[in-house]
């Protein structure tokens, strides 16, 4: 039972109408574990099994009693939220705890510095901003070094040093004797260096990726529907096909920037070619969430690591949805042997209550200047940090029992999904994922014998979500950029009974597709024969 207000609908009214057309416009009044509740016509609570899991934000479930008690204690003790520009030891405690976990999973002694934010998209943008600040500072240092070497070469030529003939050939100017020839060489070097060092930053990311919908992060999101309307507002990204090593190498080679440097050695001036820092970052998800729950292969992850190291392109790993233990490891990327220069964490970091995120930068790349040019009003407050610290303690307790539970529950859920696919290969195209971040992809239904199913094919996953909600009281949604794929991201407390209930719902919907029962799927009147 949803309360209908007499006031005009001004809060995203179009979206509300669309949800209503699918039967998803439910007002939930209570939540616990993997269950949401709404009120029936007589005011009774009606439970809904939640497999959407806050889009991955609820690894510990809705309103975990330990987290709720901790939050109540913090609020009851009047813990300050707005104490900006002061000492925040609780933020450092979270950073220390995160580094302890990263050192274990990455096998490194290098620390990562923490910048806090509120959402995953903000953490991604903070990482990109820091990477660009770092690139700009490296570029400035390179320009200064080139200028110093040029001045030294001029002094050497004035003092009688010879210019190596190969220098003219490398730069592409005609060799001439004397100062005029040298200055012609210098002029071309300066022209080309200015062109190369003045190039805009290159951002690389993967096809199918999703990194948010803010002005900058939306340009890293592959879905054109989200990105194209705002393309003029930010630097566009180069999208690399996931798993395609030759394409990755080709993009890096095509975008690579080089400069000419003058070297004086043994009375001879020569020219050498050097890389210029044009690459801002390579941004990726180890498990693409909105792209259809697609796991990056270990082989391609290692290829990205090698290729980026060769051109000094930092790697930003977006673990907003896949991190915090959801894959069965704290970082999904660590199981791939992938080490990032930056990490973005959010969602479950707040324990389902706090709205918080963090960007981590390895200290060998960290620029302290960033702290003076980037800030956030609500970031790094005591409440969200202390909640995050509690979440990390719970995940790490009992030698990582939470991660073992994710692996166990994820394997059980995956086995069930695989069984549904085996019995309905004509309906289910694929099941994939890791831990408790799993997806089930339906075959395209645009050729169905049911008109209703054919009409629903462009947004198939949402129609299925409406059916599961209406008939089975199960809540899940498709992935935003791959709408034929349903996502399953419950908490680690998922029970066998809850898995069985989902199985019943999925087998029922597969039966509807197989028999072309559009009326059963959509809840409408039976189709005319």
């Amino acid at each position: 039972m949803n309360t209908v207000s007499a006031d005009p609908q001004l809060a995203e009214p179009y979206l509300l109408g669309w949800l209503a057309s699918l039967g998803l416009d439910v007002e939930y009044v209570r939540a616990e574990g993997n269950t949401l509740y709404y009120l029936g016509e007589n005011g009774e609570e009606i439970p809904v099994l939640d497999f959407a899991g806050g889009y991955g934000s609820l690894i510990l479930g809705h309103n975990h009693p330990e987290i709720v008690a901790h939050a109540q204690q913090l609020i009851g003790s009047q813990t300050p939220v707005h104490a900006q520009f002061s000492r925040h030891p609780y933020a450092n405690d979270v950073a220390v705890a995160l580094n302890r976990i990263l050192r274990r999973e990455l096998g490194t002694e290098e620390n990562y510095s923490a910048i806090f934010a509120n959402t995953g998209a903000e953490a991604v943008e903070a990482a990109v901003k820091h990477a660009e600040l770092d690139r700009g500072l490296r570029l400035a240092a390179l320009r200064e070094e080139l200028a110093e070497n040029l001045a030294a070469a001029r002094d050497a030529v004035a003092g009688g040093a010879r210019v190596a003939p190969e220098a003219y050939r490398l730069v592409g100017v005609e060799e001439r004797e004397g100062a005029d020839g040298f200055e012609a060489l210098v002029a071309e070097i300066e022209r080309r260096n200015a062109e190369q060092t003045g190039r805009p930053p290159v951002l690389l990311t993967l096809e199918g990726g999703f990194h948010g919908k803010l002005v900058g992060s939306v340009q890293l999101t592959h879905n054109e529907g989200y990105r194209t309307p705002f393309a003029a507002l930010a630097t566009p990204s180069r999208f690399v096909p996931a798993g395609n090593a030759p394409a990755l190498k080709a993009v890096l080679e095509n975008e690579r920037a080089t400069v000419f440097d003058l070297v004086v050695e043994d009375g001879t001036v020569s020219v050498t070619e050097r890389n210029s820092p044009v690459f801002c970052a390579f941004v990726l998800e180890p498990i693409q969430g909105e792209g259809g729950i697609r796991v990056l292969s270990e082989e391609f992850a290692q290829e990205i690591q090698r290729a980026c190291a060769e051109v000094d392109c930092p790697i930003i790993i977006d673990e907003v949805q896949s991190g915090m233990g959801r894959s069965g490891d704290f970082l999904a990327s660590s199981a791939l042997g992938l080490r990032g220069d930056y990490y973005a964490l959010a969602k479950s970091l707040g324990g389902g209550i706090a709205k918080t995120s963090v960007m981590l930068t390895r200290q060998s790349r960290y620029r302290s200047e960033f702290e003076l040019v980037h800030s956030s009003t609500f970031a790094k407050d005591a409440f969200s940090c202390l909640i995050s610290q509690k979440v990390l303690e719970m995940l790490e307790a009992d030698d990582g029992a939470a991660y073992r539970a994710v692996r166990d529950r994820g394997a059980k859920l995956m086995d069930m999904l695989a069984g549904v696919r085996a019995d309905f290969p004509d309906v289910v195209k694929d099941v994939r994922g890791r831990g408790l971040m799993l997806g089930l992809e339906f075959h395209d239904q645009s050729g169905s014998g049911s008109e209703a199913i054919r009409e629903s094919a462009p947004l198939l996953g949402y129609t299925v979500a409406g059916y599961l909600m209406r008939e089975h009281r199960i809540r899940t949604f498709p992935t935003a950029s791959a709408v034929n794929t349903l996502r399953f991201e419950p908490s680690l407390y998922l029970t066998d009974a809850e898995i069985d209930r989902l199985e019943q719902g999925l087998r029922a919907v597969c039966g509807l597709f197989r028999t072309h029962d559009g009326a059963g799927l959509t809840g409408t009147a039976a189709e005319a024969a």
Side-chain angles (χ1 to χ4, degrees), residues 77-110:
S77 62
Q78 298 183 324
T79 298
V81 174
H82 296 280
Q84 300 92 338
F85 217 66
S86 62
R87 188 167 178 265
H88 297 261
Y90 32 79
N92 191 65
D93 290 342
V94 175
V96 169
L98 285 168
N99 271 278
R100 189 179 302 117
I101 298 170
L102 262 62
R103 283 196 296 273
R104 180 191 72 228
E105 291 217 348
L106 301 178
T108 178
E109 293 300 316
E110 184 175 10

Side-chain angles (χ1 to χ4, degrees), residues 125-175:
E125 291 211 0
V128 172
K129 282 181 64 179
H130 185 285
E132 178 57 15
L133 175 66
D134 175 56
R135 189 189 76 89
L137 293 172
R138 287 186 286 124
L139 193 59
L142 174 64
R143 286 177 174 139
E144 183 177 349
E145 186 179 351
L146 293 175
E148 290 174 353
N149 291 345
L150 172 59
R154 273 203 172 102
D155 290 343
V157 170
R162 63 183 287 271
V163 180
E166 294 81 6
Y168 293 96
R169 289 195 291 273
L170 180 61
V171 175
V173 299
E174 182 181 353
E175 181 179 356

Side-chain angles (χ1 to χ4, degrees), residues 12 44 47 51 57 71 85 106 150 214 244 253 266 276-277 287 299 309 317 404 414 451 482-483 495 525:
E12 300 183 339
E44 74 280 13
F51 274 91
S57 300
F85 217 66
L106 301 178
L150 172 59
L214 301 181
N244 191 329
E253 184 58 34
D266 297 329
S276 178
I287 304 176
E299 295 76 17
I317 302 181
R404 295 192 296 274
M414 176 62 91
E451 181 180 358
V483 294
T495 66

